[in-house]
Amino acid sequence: EAVAGATPTNHPVTVPTAPGRSYSIFYADGELTNGLAWLPFANTNNGIGTWRETNTVRATYTFVDNEGTNTTGGAPADGRRYYRVRVTAP
């Protein structure tokens, strides 16, 4: 479960994490339907669109979608944006 905050151009999303797992962020704009296209962040460098949890205990990680060129590239056209987190184990 991820929770997004609402500010005009910065959208923090906090994700609970587990040690040693890798995480990738995806987003989608528009109506939440089965045909929704999930896109990766524009920059998938560690700490922007992906990260690996290095803590030895469960923690949280907060990433920020600033609607810039490294994240989603702009505001959603209809005002709605959804986030998905993909988790992989080593």
Side-chain angles (χ1 to χ4, degrees):
E1 179 181 323
V3 179
T7 61
T9 58
N10 288 313
H11 311 286
V13 178
T14 301
V15 178
T17 63
R21 302 250 166 91
S22 295
Y23 298 83
S24 299
I25 302 297
F26 295 84
Y27 72 97
D29 295 341
E31 194 71 30
L32 190 56
T33 64
N34 287 338
L36 195 61
W38 292 95
L39 304 169
F41 271 26
N43 184 342
T44 56
N45 287 328
N46 192 41
I48 297 176
T50 64
W51 74 95
R52 182 175 173 86
E53 182 56 73
T54 58
N55 285 315
T56 57
V57 296
R58 292 186 178 273
T60 59
Y61 182 88
T62 301
F63 74 92
V64 177
D65 173 8
N66 63 6
E67 299 178 356
T69 57
N70 283 325
T71 58
T72 55
D78 71 353
R80 289 180 282 186
R81 176 161 288 150
Y82 300 94
Y83 299 95
R84 174 181 277 181
V85 179
R86 178 181 293 161
V87 182
T88 55

